[in-house]
Amino acid sequence: MRRALRRTGHRLGVPAHARAGTASDDRLPGADRHRRLRPPASHPHGYTRPRYSRFLGVPEVFLLGHSHGGFVAQYHALHHPERIAGVILYESAPLTGPEHGAEAMRLVQSFAALHADHPELPEVLAAFQAIPTISDDAQMTAVARGLLPAYFADYWVREEEFAPMRASVRAAHISGLDENLSPLVIDDRADLGSLSVPTLVVGRHDVVCAVRWAEELHLLIPGSELLILENSGHFGHLEEPEAFSQAVTRFVTAVNSPDS
């Protein structure tokens, strides 16, 4: 996808984050040219959206945020629209907190019902139950690997393909608290109507950022586009890579066309 975007003459920035356990947070876009995002003194607390946003200073970039990175991308788009050409909210949501958690729990229960006879289901459910007890990177890594099958549309059917990725996952423990140990609760619903940059919302069948949230983002953001990848869970770029790549490239190209 990056090669395709280079052919169109555009740049794609991806907010990295460690909450989902698939990226390091010390090398955000632009950090090589400026400075590294070092852990705050309050680590593992204090990883707020404003902290990430300060390191997203590359101008005229199309910013793609996946999962918690989507929350960072929409914050940056709302507070610094002059710095970006467009934003792609990939598995994001307009809010976190009890309502988001209740929807995730409902979808985990649906996943459990669908795979009730699978011998690995107890391991996946145990990983979800262990989330509140995480206190270090080793525990976070074990939980991330344990719950990963629920993050795919059909992990066990394609297990041979995805098992190496699961085995290679390394996760960093970051709490959901700010520097003052207050919960990091997000609710952008009142502000998303003012989002003025072109926006592509990518949603799919996912237990943590359900298609419900993609549809709500689409309704709240004026002029946004909505893409649903019907055969993907949380990782559409792995499950349907061609469709995902083509959609992102089309969006970036269309925004910059003379007729747009």
Side-chain angles (χ1 to χ4, degrees):
M1 181 170 67
R2 289 184 183 274
R3 288 195 296 270
L5 288 173
R6 281 199 293 270
R7 288 198 298 271
T8 70
H10 306 302
R11 304 166 72 185
L12 181 69
V14 183
H17 64 95
R19 184 180 301 241
T22 56
S24 170
D25 75 334
D26 64 350
R27 301 184 67 81
L28 294 180
D32 287 334
R33 294 184 294 106
H34 301 291
R35 62 193 186 280
R36 292 191 179 195
L37 175 61
R38 300 191 182 282
S42 54
H43 177 83
H45 319 298
Y47 290 84
T48 62
R49 293 196 294 173
R51 177 176 175 80
Y52 285 116
S53 182
R54 288 197 298 271
F55 284 79
L56 299 176
V58 182
E60 292 302 311
V61 69
F62 283 82
L63 190 60
L64 185 155
H66 178 228
S67 195
H68 184 73
F71 294 124
V72 175
Q74 64 202 41
Y75 176 92
H76 192 69
L78 285 167
H79 290 80
H80 304 287
E82 75 284 354
R83 298 183 185 175
I84 57 178
V87 63
I88 301 165
L89 303 179
Y90 171 33
E91 292 306 332
S92 187
L95 78 168
T96 60
E99 187 177 353
H100 185 273
E103 178 70 2
M105 182 58 64
R106 183 185 70 82
L107 292 171
V108 169
Q109 291 171 347
S110 296
F111 171 85
L114 182 64
H115 299 283
D117 296 330
H118 198 281
E120 288 188 32
L121 178 62
E123 176 186 346
V124 175
L125 298 181
F128 277 107
Q129 293 169 351
I131 290 174
T133 69
I134 296 172
S135 60
D136 59 35
D137 292 357
Q139 291 175 341
M140 184 67 213
T141 295
V143 167
R145 292 177 182 176
L147 57 77
L148 205 62
Y151 278 56
F152 286 83
D154 205 335
Y155 174 86
W156 285 308
V157 168
R158 300 173 65 179
E159 185 169 13
E160 183 175 353
E161 180 182 356
F162 296 132
M165 175 267 194
R166 184 185 187 188
S168 70
V169 165
R170 291 182 298 116
H173 168 56
I174 292 176
S175 78
L177 305 177
D178 66 13
E179 297 90 337
N180 300 315
L181 305 186
S182 296
L184 293 170
V185 178
I186 295 168
D187 191 342
D188 290 333
R189 288 175 293 186
D191 300 320
L192 288 169
S194 66
L195 197 59
S196 58
V197 297
T199 304
L200 173 66
V201 179
V202 183
R204 58 192 53 81
H205 302 291
D206 177 16
V207 298
V208 66
C209 286
V211 70
R212 164 189 171 180
W213 303 122
E215 291 172 342
E216 187 166 335
L217 284 168
H218 176 51
L219 290 173
L220 290 169
I221 301 172
S224 62
E225 297 183 39
L226 175 63
L227 170 68
I228 304 294
L229 296 179
E230 298 294 345
N231 298 310
S232 294
H234 195 64
F235 299 108
H237 59 293
L238 301 178
E239 297 170 87
E240 297 181 76
E242 288 300 320
F244 178 83
S245 176
Q246 290 171 8
V248 172
T249 302
R250 176 195 56 76
F251 172 71
V252 171
T253 303
V255 168
N256 282 273
S257 70
D259 298 328
S260 63

